Structure formats: C-alpha cells, structure tokens
Amino acid sequence: MSELFDAVDALVASRAPLPPAEERKRLRVAHGLTLDDVAGALKVRRATVSAWESVKKPTEPRGPEREAYARLLKQLAQLYPAPASAPVTAAPAPSPAQAPSAGPASAATVTPAPEHTQPPAPAAVTPPPAPAAVTAAPPAAPRPARSASVPPRAAKKTAPAATPAGSTDPRFENGPLAVVDVQDGQVLAYRTDGLVLDVPARSIPALVDWTLREARLGAPKLTGPGKDADPLIVLTEAALERYGLPVTLTDEERHAGRIPEGHKVVKQLTRAQWKLTKRGFGPWARIYRPATGSERACVQLCIPSWNALDTRHWGDAGRLPPAELARVLGVYATRVMTPRGSTAVTGLELMTALHPPTRASEPDAAGRRHSEHNPSSLGKDPVDCAPCEAPEGHPLLKDLPRFHVRGPEEKLLEEAYDWARPMTDAECTLRHLVGIDVNMAFAAGANGLVVGLGAPTHVKNPQFDPKLPGSWLVDLSHVDLSHVKLGKDKWAQLDAGLLPSPFTPKGERPTGPAWYATPTVAYAAELGYEVHPSEAYVRHDNGRYLDAWYHRLRDAYLATMADLGVHADMTPADFLTAMDGHKDRDPDLAIVVSAIKATVKGGLGKLRERPRGEGWRPGEPWRALSRPTWRPDIRAAVISRTRINLHRKIVKHAAFTGQYPVAVLSDCVVYAADGTSPLDFLPYREGTPLPGGFRLGVNPGLVKHEGTQTVLWGEEVRERFDAPDLNLARYIKDGTVTDTDNGE
C-alpha cells in the first residue's frame, strides 16, 4: 500500500503549481542566485533554467525537477513576497541590500535584467579611476532546453555553460572582453555574463582610453612568466556607425585587410599618440602605446562585420545579438584564451602564452632580476629549419634549378591521409558504409610528443633513436604490411592490398629512400622491421612543448561538450545517442566547440605559414619566418604521429576482425558494414573496446560517428566520376556530392 501512496504523491508533485516566468526570475534574483546556482542544485543545465524563466516562450519543468523547483520557489516566495502594489507577474528590481554587488571596488550596483527587450537606462558615468558603471542587460534569447533524447547520464552538470564575468583579479572584474553596441542612442558594453557597462566614449581613441582606465577588462596570465591578456572590444555595426567606421569593407580594403591610413579614425588615433601594428586597422586591430616597464597599454578590437569571425570556424557568431555574442566569445576566452585574431592566430598565440620565450632570472648581487631564456620555450629568436623541412620558395632552396621538383629523397612530406580503394566483392554485398571520425585527432597527436626546441644538427649515417625528434632519410620500402608485429613475439598476417601504407599521405608503398619525421620511422621499427637512416637532422634540445597546449584545449573541448550533454564516462550507446543532435541543444556553445577544433588545426598550420602576398618572390624570406614559432618540423611531427596513431588502430582492427577500411581522409575512416551504426562493426565485448583499436567516446583520440550512407550510394558516386578509388570519406557525413566535384 505504501508504494501506491508514494506513486500518488509523485503524481501530485509532478503537477505542482508554479508562478509565472517573471515571478520565477524575480524570486531567484531577489535571493542573489544565478542561473548556474539553480541549475547545479536541480542537476539540470543552465539553459534549462533560463528557458523556465523565459517570458516570451517559457518551458515547464517535469518530473522530479518540477517538484524540486516548485519547492525552491515556494520557500523564496516566503522570504521575498511580491509587493502589494504590483502584480506577481511583474519583476521589480530588488533593493540594494538584496542585489549582488558588481565587484568589491565598484560603486555601481547590479540590477536584475528587465523583462522587456529594450535596454535599461544606463547608470551614471563614474569618473576615472573608478570602475565602469554596471547595469543589467536586455535578456538574450533563451537557450534551448535539453532534448528528451539525451540519456539520463548526459544531463549531469560538469562545467558552467556561461562565462562568469568576474575574475579573482580585481583588475579584470568585468571579464576578458565586452561587445560594444548602441541602443536607443546609448553606447553599452555587454559583459560576458549579460550585464552591461555604460560607455561614455565618443570616439575610438576615447574608447581605448576608457577600456584601459575604467572598464576593468582583461584576463590574468596563463603561466608564471607570461603576460596578462589585453582587453578585447567587439564592435557591432551600430557601434561602427557611432564611431565613424564603415560597417563593411570595400573590395580594395578587404584585399588589403585594413582601412586606409588616411581614414579619419586612424588619424584620430595618431593625434592621440596611439599606434597600430603592421597589419593596421583591420578586422583584428591592435591599438597600443609602447610599454613602460611592466605596464602595458594595449587594446584589441574585433569587428565581426569585417569578417573577423570566419564563418567556417565561428558559424553565425558574427550575426548574434550582443549579449549572445559576448557569451560565445566569453566561454572561448575563459576556456581557451582571449582571441588574438583568427582561430589559427589564437592557436599559435596560446602556445607562446603557455611557454613564454623569457622569464625572470634569480636576483643578482644587487637584488635585481633580469630577463633570461625560458628553457621550456622556443626562445625569442627564430631558427632555420633543415633544408628537407623547408617548403617550396624558402630561402634555403634559392640555389635549386628553376622548375626543379623535389622528390621524397629531398623533401619531408608528412601530411594527413587521403587514401581510398575499390570495394571488394564481399564488401559490395554489405548494405552500408559507416564513417567514424577521431575526436581532436591532431590535438591527441600532440599529447606527450617530444619536439625540437632549437636548431637542427646534421648527421651522417646516424643510429636511429625513437626518442630523438628530427627528420630522417631512410628507406622503408622493405616494410611489408602483410606480416607485422603487434606486440612482444606476436605477429599478424594481413591483406596488405587492403591497407594504406603508413608512410605516405596517399597510402602508397614507398619505393626508395625518403625523409620522415621521428614518429613515422619509429612505427616502422615497431612493426618489426630494421631501419638504417643514411642522413638526419636531429634536435638535441627538445621537450614536450605542446603538452600544456593540448591540455588547455582538451579541457576546453570536454567542458563545452559536457555543457552540450556529452560526457567522458558514457557507455558507447549513450554516447552515440548524446551526440545525435547535440549541437541543437545550445547552438551558441556548438559554435564554441567548432572554434576550439579550428584552434587546434589552425594553430598547427601556422607553424608552417606560407607567404601571403605582400610582393613576395620565391627565394626571398617572408614575414612568418621571423617568428620563433615558425617551426615546420613541429607541424610535421604532430601530423606524422597523428597518422601513425590512426594506422595503428586500423591494423589492430584488421588483425582482430578481418575488416579493412574502404577510405581514409585525415581523421575519418570508412568501413563497409551490415548496419548503420559504428557499433555494427566495432568489436566491443560487454562494453569493453578492442585494446589498441577504435573506441567510441568524446575524449581526444577516441572516435564518434561521422555519417552513414549505403553501399549503392558509394558505387553510384564512383561510377559518376569514373573513379573506382574516389575517396568516399569526403562525402560520408551527409552524402552530398556536387557534379563539379572531382574528388580532389
């Protein structure tokens, strides 16, 4: 009988009455609770609580969450009854005693966000050096509620989805950045938590000055010898018009990457004794005065309508309302770093921020400290690469005959896979092609990798050392994939014709000596074959330079995926379910995930940045060569290790299951299978994956479902292009192939 009573109680509780959305928010704010506080207590997502409080289209909690939420609101209503003069549907501001403080040093108070879409009247401007006045932001569109398809484990909260604006450092109490917009004639700077600062500046020089003197924007350094992050100001189209800047660039300005030096705003900055970097006033303008001692005076501007936020990596972020854009960039800035330019530029800057080139020395006899080389860094001076590592047009190659094409014995060619083969008759009898994709593959390839920190040393007939980073000239054509070593005294017989070679990007077996990075040569030895290099460029000064970079990006990726309902401890089936439609649960955070991934690939690509116009001619140096972070050898080592990691899994899978890939493109592998899911061909035993093989999960190095198409689709596409080895991994995600696509 007690079980029946419990069931009745639960049924009644599931329909517990709730006040209107406006009252829910009033009660929460009156008690000084944030959305994250309520979400953490009820074990739901922040976006879910926000949706419960949405005035336009509130959602209703269900089940045990509704009972707990109703209990919370009832207790708060007893503490903060609605004013008798106002109906409960109104959301009056709390008294100053109830309102949370904007910061320990701020004289302004934070008021709750009004329930209408118009901005509040800005607070009075506080003269310097007091901090900027803080007021409440117009509410952003509510985040979508958690999809019912997410398994219960996916609802666990591991990290906040919103960026707290405040910092433990009072200098940066308003967060790392702000989005400046104009509403009803008022200039407002949106903090990353949705609150706004009143901006008194009437010109760009005044805006820069206000940012440094009053705004209290920026972020603390990421490591001991590093530097604090400069504040970032994002200008909306309305702000551009207010400050006399064009909303969009002309074709000529877009090609130049900046507005002309004669523009009135640039002249204003010059008159105010502000300087611009060599790239001028463009989408990512840096405005500064020379540093005085340890004091920096630098502000970075981001202008989305000038294509500062590349849609390939930032999606529709540039078209978001100010509060939502501040949230997206704020999450990225807090978890990765304050953007310094494109995601590629930021990825490279993150390496330097985590390993600054110099540090303070121990005190000398007079007690003074001096700048000295930081042993874990690349230093402050660039080093020459080895001739085999130099890309075409490099000054090291200027003496080569004109139109000379370097072969593998002259050029290090470590690139990602682009390999495919015709399907066998047995594979054609199966129904589907299933693609799996390695999460953050290149980040995983950087984890624990020993790379060179200094200049290379040229050696002849060296003894190969798998622990020594470098480039090796060695003949690996004798490595036979039909007979490989999988462990101590354990060999496997494979069909080498169905496998890509691990030594070339196109998967072709090498025919003679070629240059390889250390991970590639080490894998040949791991497979059980002797290697005898004839020449090498090795780096005795080395270390795990990318470890901190990897950990920072990994943590950012996992925290943001957790906010989207995808966690590291899920079962394979729950993981696949959680990944289905995860981007729709919070499109803003899905943008952050995309930007984090682009930061990995772009940062590694910047290690071998090529000339970008500027009148460059082959044989002449280009601007990127002057950076200590121009290191093509590090890029090659990461790509080598990533490709080898993938091949190792392919071999383990083939040896255990007899299944071979149909196509491999970078970090995507396609198999023929009878079912539509990766679980239809991945060998799990009671939830345990094949040791050393593919494993489903969100962590970097694990795999997710990339897409499924039919075998008939694959054969039709290849027949259309008359290419039996067309790389189907390029189209497996959605099956879209245009008639103009030649597969290259």
Side-chain angles (χ1 to χ4, degrees), residues 6-18 42-44 48 52 59-72 146 148:
D6 292 341
V8 170
D9 292 342
L11 186 62
V12 173
S14 69
R15 296 295 185 270
L18 297 175
L42 301 182
K43 293 181 169 51
V44 297
T48 302
W52 292 345
T59 61
E60 294 297 313
R62 295 189 295 270
E65 289 86 359
R66 185 184 183 93
E67 177 183 4
Y69 190 45
R71 183 181 180 88
L72 169 67
R146 176 168 57 91

mmCIF file of all heavy atoms in Angstrom, residues 6-18 42-44 48 52 59-72 146 148:
data_model
loop_
_atom_site.group_PDB
_atom_site.id
_atom_site.type_symbol
_atom_site.label_atom_id
_atom_site.label_comp_id
_atom_site.label_asym_id
_atom_site.label_seq_id
_atom_site.Cartn_x
_atom_site.Cartn_y
_atom_site.Cartn_z
ATOM 1 N N ASP A 6 3.165 6.359 -2.364
ATOM 2 C CA ASP A 6 4.322 7.061 -2.933
ATOM 3 C C ASP A 6 4.068 7.449 -4.384
ATOM 4 O O ASP A 6 4.444 8.547 -4.834
ATOM 5 C CB ASP A 6 5.575 6.187 -2.833
ATOM 6 C CG ASP A 6 6.027 6.003 -1.391
ATOM 7 O OD1 ASP A 6 5.609 6.809 -0.538
ATOM 8 O OD2 ASP A 6 6.794 5.042 -1.131
ATOM 9 N N ALA A 7 3.439 6.548 -5.125
ATOM 10 C CA ALA A 7 3.151 6.831 -6.529
ATOM 11 C C ALA A 7 2.173 7.986 -6.663
ATOM 12 O O ALA A 7 2.306 8.843 -7.541
ATOM 13 C CB ALA A 7 2.599 5.573 -7.217
ATOM 14 N N VAL A 8 1.149 8.012 -5.759
ATOM 15 C CA VAL A 8 0.186 9.105 -5.793
ATOM 16 C C VAL A 8 0.861 10.430 -5.446
ATOM 17 O O VAL A 8 0.632 11.466 -6.086
ATOM 18 C CB VAL A 8 -0.982 8.817 -4.828
ATOM 19 C CG1 VAL A 8 -1.867 10.059 -4.673
ATOM 20 C CG2 VAL A 8 -1.807 7.651 -5.330
ATOM 21 N N ASP A 9 1.739 10.415 -4.410
ATOM 22 C CA ASP A 9 2.452 11.632 -4.034
ATOM 23 C C ASP A 9 3.296 12.162 -5.190
ATOM 24 O O ASP A 9 3.360 13.376 -5.441
ATOM 25 C CB ASP A 9 3.334 11.370 -2.810
ATOM 26 C CG ASP A 9 2.507 11.115 -1.550
ATOM 27 O OD1 ASP A 9 1.309 11.467 -1.554
ATOM 28 O OD2 ASP A 9 3.076 10.558 -0.585
ATOM 29 N N ALA A 10 3.983 11.249 -5.869
ATOM 30 C CA ALA A 10 4.821 11.652 -7.003
ATOM 31 C C ALA A 10 3.974 12.230 -8.126
ATOM 32 O O ALA A 10 4.371 13.186 -8.800
ATOM 33 C CB ALA A 10 5.632 10.456 -7.512
ATOM 34 N N LEU A 11 2.771 11.639 -8.341
ATOM 35 C CA LEU A 11 1.891 12.130 -9.390
ATOM 36 C C LEU A 11 1.412 13.542 -9.086
ATOM 37 O O LEU A 11 1.368 14.416 -9.957
ATOM 38 C CB LEU A 11 0.695 11.186 -9.544
ATOM 39 C CG LEU A 11 -0.260 11.477 -10.712
ATOM 40 C CD1 LEU A 11 0.482 11.358 -12.038
ATOM 41 C CD2 LEU A 11 -1.452 10.527 -10.677
ATOM 42 N N VAL A 12 1.067 13.786 -7.825
ATOM 43 C CA VAL A 12 0.634 15.123 -7.421
ATOM 44 C C VAL A 12 1.784 16.120 -7.555
ATOM 45 O O VAL A 12 1.628 17.234 -8.054
ATOM 46 C CB VAL A 12 0.091 15.105 -5.972
ATOM 47 C CG1 VAL A 12 -0.201 16.529 -5.499
ATOM 48 C CG2 VAL A 12 -1.170 14.254 -5.896
ATOM 49 N N ALA A 13 2.977 15.698 -7.095
ATOM 50 C CA ALA A 13 4.136 16.587 -7.160
ATOM 51 C C ALA A 13 4.498 16.937 -8.594
ATOM 52 O O ALA A 13 4.988 18.027 -8.879
ATOM 53 C CB ALA A 13 5.324 15.943 -6.451
ATOM 54 N N SER A 14 4.279 16.006 -9.521
ATOM 55 C CA SER A 14 4.628 16.264 -10.918
ATOM 56 C C SER A 14 3.775 17.360 -11.536
ATOM 57 O O SER A 14 4.086 17.850 -12.614
ATOM 58 C CB SER A 14 4.494 14.971 -11.734
ATOM 59 O OG SER A 14 3.125 14.599 -11.852
ATOM 60 N N ARG A 15 2.665 17.718 -10.876
ATOM 61 C CA ARG A 15 1.819 18.817 -11.354
ATOM 62 C C ARG A 15 1.820 19.978 -10.374
ATOM 63 O O ARG A 15 0.864 20.730 -10.272
ATOM 64 C CB ARG A 15 0.373 18.317 -11.553
ATOM 65 C CG ARG A 15 0.225 17.243 -12.629
ATOM 66 C CD ARG A 15 0.576 17.794 -14.016
ATOM 67 N NE ARG A 15 0.320 16.806 -15.050
ATOM 68 C CZ ARG A 15 1.216 15.939 -15.465
ATOM 69 N NH1 ARG A 15 2.417 15.940 -14.921
ATOM 70 N NH2 ARG A 15 0.919 15.074 -16.418
ATOM 71 N N ALA A 16 2.912 20.099 -9.593
ATOM 72 C CA ALA A 16 2.994 21.165 -8.599
ATOM 73 C C ALA A 16 2.828 22.517 -9.275
ATOM 74 O O ALA A 16 3.432 22.772 -10.321
ATOM 75 C CB ALA A 16 4.331 21.096 -7.873
ATOM 76 N N PRO A 17 1.993 23.404 -8.698
ATOM 77 C CA PRO A 17 1.776 24.716 -9.328
ATOM 78 C C PRO A 17 3.035 25.567 -9.276
ATOM 79 O O PRO A 17 3.790 25.530 -8.308
ATOM 80 C CB PRO A 17 0.650 25.323 -8.484
ATOM 81 C CG PRO A 17 0.763 24.637 -7.157
ATOM 82 C CD PRO A 17 1.227 23.241 -7.448
ATOM 83 N N LEU A 18 3.244 26.323 -10.326
ATOM 84 C CA LEU A 18 4.403 27.201 -10.420
ATOM 85 C C LEU A 18 3.936 28.616 -10.724
ATOM 86 O O LEU A 18 2.956 28.814 -11.454
ATOM 87 C CB LEU A 18 5.354 26.730 -11.532
ATOM 88 C CG LEU A 18 6.005 25.361 -11.365
ATOM 89 C CD1 LEU A 18 6.800 25.023 -12.614
ATOM 90 C CD2 LEU A 18 6.904 25.337 -10.154
ATOM 91 N N LEU A 42 19.472 21.666 -8.954
ATOM 92 C CA LEU A 42 18.450 20.790 -9.529
ATOM 93 C C LEU A 42 19.025 19.768 -10.498
ATOM 94 O O LEU A 42 18.283 18.964 -11.057
ATOM 95 C CB LEU A 42 17.392 21.640 -10.249
ATOM 96 C CG LEU A 42 16.656 22.674 -9.388
ATOM 97 C CD1 LEU A 42 15.613 23.404 -10.219
ATOM 98 C CD2 LEU A 42 16.003 22.013 -8.190
ATOM 99 N N LYS A 43 20.362 19.844 -10.713
ATOM 100 C CA LYS A 43 21.046 18.912 -11.611
ATOM 101 C C LYS A 43 20.466 18.956 -13.032
ATOM 102 O O LYS A 43 20.166 17.928 -13.647
ATOM 103 C CB LYS A 43 21.001 17.477 -11.054
ATOM 104 C CG LYS A 43 21.822 17.321 -9.781
ATOM 105 C CD LYS A 43 21.789 15.900 -9.266
ATOM 106 C CE LYS A 43 22.813 15.690 -8.158
ATOM 107 N NZ LYS A 43 22.751 16.686 -7.078
ATOM 108 N N VAL A 44 20.286 20.179 -13.524
ATOM 109 C CA VAL A 44 19.873 20.395 -14.902
ATOM 110 C C VAL A 44 20.838 21.387 -15.524
ATOM 111 O O VAL A 44 21.742 21.897 -14.861
ATOM 112 C CB VAL A 44 18.428 20.943 -14.985
ATOM 113 C CG1 VAL A 44 17.442 19.933 -14.430
ATOM 114 C CG2 VAL A 44 18.301 22.275 -14.248
ATOM 115 N N THR A 48 18.358 25.193 -19.332
ATOM 116 C CA THR A 48 17.030 24.721 -18.953
ATOM 117 C C THR A 48 16.373 25.689 -17.983
ATOM 118 O O THR A 48 15.198 26.050 -18.126
ATOM 119 C CB THR A 48 17.143 23.317 -18.323
ATOM 120 O OG1 THR A 48 17.764 22.431 -19.261
ATOM 121 C CG2 THR A 48 15.781 22.772 -17.959
ATOM 122 N N TRP A 52 12.977 28.085 -18.367
ATOM 123 C CA TRP A 52 11.853 28.137 -17.415
ATOM 124 C C TRP A 52 11.473 29.579 -17.089
ATOM 125 O O TRP A 52 10.325 29.849 -16.756
ATOM 126 C CB TRP A 52 12.222 27.406 -16.120
ATOM 127 C CG TRP A 52 12.379 25.928 -16.280
ATOM 128 C CD1 TRP A 52 11.980 25.151 -17.321
ATOM 129 C CD2 TRP A 52 13.014 25.044 -15.350
ATOM 130 N NE1 TRP A 52 12.315 23.844 -17.109
ATOM 131 C CE2 TRP A 52 12.947 23.737 -15.909
ATOM 132 C CE3 TRP A 52 13.626 25.211 -14.110
ATOM 133 C CZ2 TRP A 52 13.471 22.621 -15.257
ATOM 134 C CZ3 TRP A 52 14.144 24.095 -13.458
ATOM 135 C CH2 TRP A 52 14.070 22.817 -14.029
ATOM 136 N N THR A 59 9.326 27.293 -20.910
ATOM 137 C CA THR A 59 9.095 25.851 -20.868
ATOM 138 C C THR A 59 8.761 25.459 -19.442
ATOM 139 O O THR A 59 9.068 26.180 -18.494
ATOM 140 C CB THR A 59 10.333 25.079 -21.337
ATOM 141 O OG1 THR A 59 11.431 25.386 -20.454
ATOM 142 C CG2 THR A 59 10.718 25.466 -22.750
ATOM 143 N N GLU A 60 8.127 24.331 -19.285
ATOM 144 C CA GLU A 60 7.691 23.879 -17.978
ATOM 145 C C GLU A 60 8.502 22.671 -17.546
ATOM 146 O O GLU A 60 8.645 21.715 -18.314
ATOM 147 C CB GLU A 60 6.199 23.523 -18.005
ATOM 148 C CG GLU A 60 5.288 24.727 -18.239
ATOM 149 C CD GLU A 60 5.394 25.745 -17.116
ATOM 150 O OE1 GLU A 60 5.352 25.341 -15.946
ATOM 151 O OE2 GLU A 60 5.525 26.945 -17.420
ATOM 152 N N PRO A 61 9.040 22.686 -16.325
ATOM 153 C CA PRO A 61 9.766 21.505 -15.832
ATOM 154 C C PRO A 61 8.814 20.337 -15.612
ATOM 155 O O PRO A 61 7.617 20.520 -15.372
ATOM 156 C CB PRO A 61 10.379 21.999 -14.517
ATOM 157 C CG PRO A 61 9.503 23.140 -14.097
ATOM 158 C CD PRO A 61 9.015 23.777 -15.351
ATOM 159 N N ARG A 62 9.360 19.149 -15.677
ATOM 160 C CA ARG A 62 8.558 17.943 -15.485
ATOM 161 C C ARG A 62 9.263 17.015 -14.513
ATOM 162 O O ARG A 62 10.461 17.142 -14.270
ATOM 163 C CB ARG A 62 8.344 17.222 -16.827
ATOM 164 C CG ARG A 62 7.533 18.008 -17.837
ATOM 165 C CD ARG A 62 7.190 17.143 -19.048
ATOM 166 N NE ARG A 62 8.389 16.770 -19.791
ATOM 167 C CZ ARG A 62 8.897 17.487 -20.784
ATOM 168 N NH1 ARG A 62 8.319 18.620 -21.131
ATOM 169 N NH2 ARG A 62 9.981 17.083 -21.415
ATOM 170 N N GLY A 63 8.511 16.045 -14.009
ATOM 171 C CA GLY A 63 9.079 15.003 -13.169
ATOM 172 C C GLY A 63 9.621 15.539 -11.860
ATOM 173 O O GLY A 63 9.142 16.535 -11.314
ATOM 174 N N PRO A 64 10.665 14.895 -11.336
ATOM 175 C CA PRO A 64 11.221 15.306 -10.045
ATOM 176 C C PRO A 64 11.801 16.711 -10.067
ATOM 177 O O PRO A 64 11.826 17.390 -9.050
ATOM 178 C CB PRO A 64 12.302 14.255 -9.776
ATOM 179 C CG PRO A 64 12.621 13.669 -11.117
ATOM 180 C CD PRO A 64 11.346 13.708 -11.889
ATOM 181 N N GLU A 65 12.267 17.183 -11.252
ATOM 182 C CA GLU A 65 12.778 18.543 -11.316
ATOM 183 C C GLU A 65 11.682 19.559 -11.013
ATOM 184 O O GLU A 65 11.912 20.574 -10.358
ATOM 185 C CB GLU A 65 13.386 18.828 -12.703
ATOM 186 C CG GLU A 65 14.689 18.105 -12.986
ATOM 187 C CD GLU A 65 14.454 16.718 -13.547
ATOM 188 O OE1 GLU A 65 13.274 16.322 -13.688
ATOM 189 O OE2 GLU A 65 15.440 16.011 -13.826
ATOM 190 N N ARG A 66 10.452 19.285 -11.488
ATOM 191 C CA ARG A 66 9.351 20.218 -11.227
ATOM 192 C C ARG A 66 9.047 20.293 -9.736
ATOM 193 O O ARG A 66 8.840 21.376 -9.184
ATOM 194 C CB ARG A 66 8.105 19.780 -11.999
ATOM 195 C CG ARG A 66 6.944 20.767 -11.868
ATOM 196 C CD ARG A 66 5.700 20.261 -12.570
ATOM 197 N NE ARG A 66 4.624 21.246 -12.503
ATOM 198 C CZ ARG A 66 4.360 22.158 -13.420
ATOM 199 N NH1 ARG A 66 5.129 22.233 -14.489
ATOM 200 N NH2 ARG A 66 3.359 23.008 -13.272
ATOM 201 N N GLU A 67 9.031 19.144 -9.065
ATOM 202 C CA GLU A 67 8.749 19.121 -7.635
ATOM 203 C C GLU A 67 9.799 19.929 -6.872
ATOM 204 O O GLU A 67 9.465 20.757 -6.003
ATOM 205 C CB GLU A 67 8.723 17.678 -7.132
ATOM 206 C CG GLU A 67 8.495 17.551 -5.630
ATOM 207 C CD GLU A 67 8.551 16.112 -5.163
ATOM 208 O OE1 GLU A 67 8.848 15.227 -5.984
ATOM 209 O OE2 GLU A 67 8.306 15.875 -3.970
ATOM 210 N N ALA A 68 11.073 19.718 -7.205
ATOM 211 C CA ALA A 68 12.140 20.425 -6.506
ATOM 212 C C ALA A 68 12.108 21.916 -6.818
ATOM 213 O O ALA A 68 12.323 22.767 -5.940
ATOM 214 C CB ALA A 68 13.494 19.820 -6.882
ATOM 215 N N TYR A 69 11.829 22.261 -8.068
ATOM 216 C CA TYR A 69 11.777 23.670 -8.467
ATOM 217 C C TYR A 69 10.622 24.385 -7.772
ATOM 218 O O TYR A 69 10.758 25.522 -7.302
ATOM 219 C CB TYR A 69 11.630 23.751 -9.986
ATOM 220 C CG TYR A 69 11.799 25.129 -10.570
ATOM 221 C CD1 TYR A 69 12.831 25.971 -10.174
ATOM 222 C CD2 TYR A 69 10.927 25.598 -11.555
ATOM 223 C CE1 TYR A 69 12.996 27.227 -10.724
ATOM 224 C CE2 TYR A 69 11.080 26.852 -12.121
ATOM 225 C CZ TYR A 69 12.115 27.671 -11.701
ATOM 226 O OH TYR A 69 12.278 28.920 -12.249
ATOM 227 N N ALA A 70 9.473 23.706 -7.696
ATOM 228 C CA ALA A 70 8.328 24.294 -7.009
ATOM 229 C C ALA A 70 8.634 24.522 -5.531
ATOM 230 O O ALA A 70 8.252 25.544 -4.947
ATOM 231 C CB ALA A 70 7.103 23.388 -7.170
ATOM 232 N N ARG A 71 9.339 23.581 -4.930
ATOM 233 C CA ARG A 71 9.704 23.720 -3.511
ATOM 234 C C ARG A 71 10.637 24.922 -3.307
ATOM 235 O O ARG A 71 10.475 25.700 -2.359
ATOM 236 C CB ARG A 71 10.386 22.432 -3.043
ATOM 237 C CG ARG A 71 10.764 22.422 -1.560
ATOM 238 C CD ARG A 71 11.461 21.109 -1.233
ATOM 239 N NE ARG A 71 11.852 21.052 0.161
ATOM 240 C CZ ARG A 71 11.079 20.602 1.141
ATOM 241 N NH1 ARG A 71 9.843 20.178 0.870
ATOM 242 N NH2 ARG A 71 11.499 20.577 2.390
ATOM 243 N N LEU A 72 11.592 25.091 -4.228
ATOM 244 C CA LEU A 72 12.514 26.221 -4.143
ATOM 245 C C LEU A 72 11.761 27.541 -4.244
ATOM 246 O O LEU A 72 11.961 28.462 -3.442
ATOM 247 C CB LEU A 72 13.557 26.117 -5.262
ATOM 248 C CG LEU A 72 14.439 27.352 -5.484
ATOM 249 C CD1 LEU A 72 15.364 27.570 -4.291
ATOM 250 C CD2 LEU A 72 15.260 27.200 -6.766
ATOM 251 N N ARG A 146 17.142 20.950 -22.758
ATOM 252 C CA ARG A 146 17.782 19.674 -23.077
ATOM 253 C C ARG A 146 16.818 18.761 -23.811
ATOM 254 O O ARG A 146 15.665 18.601 -23.446
ATOM 255 C CB ARG A 146 18.260 18.999 -21.785
ATOM 256 C CG ARG A 146 18.861 17.633 -21.986
ATOM 257 C CD ARG A 146 19.555 17.174 -20.727
ATOM 258 N NE ARG A 146 18.666 17.152 -19.582
ATOM 259 C CZ ARG A 146 17.959 16.078 -19.232
ATOM 260 N NH1 ARG A 146 18.032 14.977 -19.944
ATOM 261 N NH2 ARG A 146 17.182 16.116 -18.171
ATOM 262 N N ALA A 148 14.890 15.535 -25.079
ATOM 263 C CA ALA A 148 14.454 14.341 -24.355
ATOM 264 C C ALA A 148 15.194 13.108 -24.812
ATOM 265 O O ALA A 148 15.149 12.066 -24.158
ATOM 266 C CB ALA A 148 12.951 14.148 -24.550
#
